[in-house]
Amino acid sequence: MEEKNKTTIDVIYLLGFQTPNAVTFFLFFVFLQFYCVTICGNLLIITLVSYSKSLHSPMYFFLSQLSVTDILLATNVLPTMLYSILKKTNAIISISYCFTQFFFLAVSETSECLLLTVMSYDRYVAICKPLHYPLLISHRFCWITVIISWSLSFLSGLIYTLEISTLQFCGPNIIDHFFCDLDPLLKLSCSDTTIVQLEAISTSVVFGLIPVIIIIVSYVYIIVTIFKIPSIKGRQKVFSTCSSHLIVVSMFYGTLLFVYLVPRRGQLLNFTKFLSLLYTAVTPLMNPIIYSLRNKDLKQVVDRIVNNFLHLHL
C-alpha cells in the first residue's frame, strides 16, 4: 500500500461548490442574502426579547439564545463560502483556521442541540404541567441551563479540536467541501484517527442521540396531553405554542442526523454538501422566520414598535 506524503501541510484548499461561471454571481447574491437575512432576523429576535417586557419569559429567553447560536453557525461558515464563490477559486485557508472553524462549528451545533432540548422540556412543562411551570421553569433554572449548555458546548468543542490538532496532516491538502467538517479533515491525516473517531461517536451519542430521545419523549407526552383536550379549538391553541419549535427541531435534526449518521458510501458528495448547506445556512435563516410568522407575541411587539416609530415621525 502506497504511503502518504509525510510532509506536514500548512494550507488547505476548500473546493466548495464547483459551479458554471454563468451562475456565479447569482449564487453569490443568493447566499449573501441568506447571510444578511440570517443576521438581521436573529438580531431582531434578540433585540425584541431584550426590549419588550411581554417577551421576558423562559420560552423567549431560550429563543434569544438559539438566535445567538444561529448567528455563530452562519458567521462561521458562510463568509468563507461567499469569498470562494466571488473569487471563482478554491478558498485557501491555513490549517489553524480550519481547526478554528471546526471548533466553532462543533460549539454551535452542540449548543443548538442542547438548547432545542431545553426548549422541548420547557414546552412539555408548559403544556403537561402548567400549574408547576413557574416553579420548574424559574428564572434561575433558565440561566443555569443556558450556562451549562454553552459551557458543555465550548468544553466539548475544545477537547475535540485539541485532539484533532495533535494529529499529523500530510495531505493531499484538498477538502472537497465548503467548510472544515470532521470527516474531510480526518481524511487529510496520516496519523491514527481511532481516538478521534471514538470521541466523535461518544459526543454524537451524548449531545445528539440523547437530546433526540428527550425531545421525542417530551413530544409524546405533549401529544397525549393535547388529545385529552375536549375541544378542537383548545387543541389547536395548545399545539400552536409548540408547533414552531417542532418545525425547527425537525429541520435541524433531520438534516444533521442524515449527514452524520447515514453511511457516506451511498451518498453523492454534492448531495452531502447540499444537506450540509441546509443545517449551516438554511436552518439559521428559517428559525427567526418560522418563529416570527407563527408567534403572535413577536408579531404584536413588532407592530407596536412600528406604530410607535410612525407616530414619532408623523
Side-chain angles (χ1 to χ4, degrees):
M1 187 175 180
E2 185 178 350
E3 292 186 359
K4 289 183 179 180
N5 180 14
K6 294 296 182 182
T7 304
T8 303
I9 61 176
D10 296 319
V11 297
I12 292 176
Y13 295 86
L14 289 175
L15 297 186
F17 292 96
Q18 290 85 49
T19 56
N21 291 332
V23 298
T24 297
F25 180 75
F26 174 75
L27 281 179
F28 176 80
F29 178 77
V30 168
F31 289 128
L32 179 62
Q33 292 300 308
F34 271 32
Y35 183 57
C36 291
V37 174
T38 297
I39 300 300
C40 293
N42 284 289
L43 282 177
L44 178 62
I45 287 182
I46 295 171
T47 304
L48 292 178
V49 172
S50 303
Y51 165 81
S52 177
K53 292 183 179 180
S54 63
L55 299 180
H56 289 177
S57 65
M59 180 176 70
Y60 296 110
F61 175 72
F62 293 134
L63 178 58
S64 66
Q65 295 298 313
L66 189 67
S67 293
V68 174
T69 303
D70 288 335
I71 291 174
L72 177 62
L73 180 59
T75 302
N76 184 45
V77 173
L78 288 182
T80 305
M81 185 177 68
L82 288 170
Y83 175 80
S84 176
I85 294 174
L86 185 63
K87 291 295 183 179
K88 301 179 183 178
T89 58
N90 304 329
I92 305 174
I93 61 175
S94 65
I95 189 72
S96 58
Y97 178 89
C98 194
F99 292 155
T100 303
Q101 188 180 54
F102 175 77
F103 168 73
F104 284 107
L105 178 72
V107 169
S108 56
E109 286 182 355
T110 303
S111 60
E112 184 135 0
C113 290
L114 295 176
L115 287 171
L116 288 173
T117 306
V118 174
M119 291 172 75
S120 70
Y121 176 73
D122 171 74
R123 292 298 85 204
Y124 159 74
V125 176
I127 295 172
C128 301
K129 299 180 182 293
L131 297 179
H132 298 87
Y133 186 83
L135 180 64
L136 295 176
I137 313 295
S138 61
H139 183 73
R140 182 184 178 187
F141 171 84
C142 294
W143 276 106
I144 289 175
T145 52
V146 165
I147 291 173
I148 290 175
S149 296
W150 281 108
S151 299
L152 288 176
S153 300
F154 274 96
L155 182 61
S156 173
L158 183 61
I159 294 173
Y160 220 161
T161 307
L162 287 176
E163 187 65 40
I164 293 174
S165 65
T166 61
L167 301 176
Q168 184 180 7
F169 292 89
C170 310
N173 58 342
I174 297 173
I175 292 181
D176 194 0
H177 214 318
F178 60 92
F179 64 92
C180 291
D181 206 357
L182 179 63
D183 278 356
L185 190 56
L186 292 183
K187 288 179 180 178
L188 307 185
S189 176
C190 49
S191 305
D192 184 9
T193 60
T194 304
I195 295 177
V196 177
Q197 290 174 344
L198 288 175
E199 285 183 355
I201 295 172
S202 60
T203 52
S204 298
V205 171
V206 174
F207 299 114
L209 185 59
I210 293 177
V212 167
I213 293 173
I214 294 173
I215 292 172
I216 291 174
V217 171
S218 298
Y219 272 99
V220 168
Y221 279 104
I222 288 172
I223 292 171
V224 170
T225 303
I226 289 175
F227 275 109
K228 290 181 180 179
I229 300 174
S231 65
I232 296 177
K233 288 185 178 180
R235 293 177 187 174
Q236 292 175 343
K237 183 178 180 181
V238 172
F239 183 74
S240 65
T241 63
C242 60
S243 58
S244 298
H245 176 260
L246 186 59
I247 294 171
V248 169
V249 166
S250 301
M251 286 177 53
F252 180 73
Y253 273 107
T255 54
L256 195 66
L257 293 176
F258 194 88
V259 168
Y260 289 108
L261 295 184
V262 174
R264 297 298 177 95
R265 291 180 180 178
Q267 295 184 32
L268 293 174
L269 190 57
N270 286 332
F271 184 60
T272 303
K273 289 182 186 179
F274 173 74
L275 289 175
S276 300
L277 189 66
L278 288 180
Y279 74 82
T280 56
V282 178
T283 300
L285 168 73
M286 294 303 297
N287 284 356
I289 294 176
I290 291 170
Y291 276 104
S292 300
L293 291 177
R294 299 181 65 86
N295 193 288
K296 293 181 180 179
D297 293 334
L298 282 173
K299 287 191 284 188
Q300 287 175 357
V301 172
V302 172
D303 291 340
R304 194 185 312 136
I305 293 174
V306 172
N307 290 331
N308 290 339
F309 179 81
L310 291 176
H311 285 310
L312 288 174
H313 290 80
L314 286 177

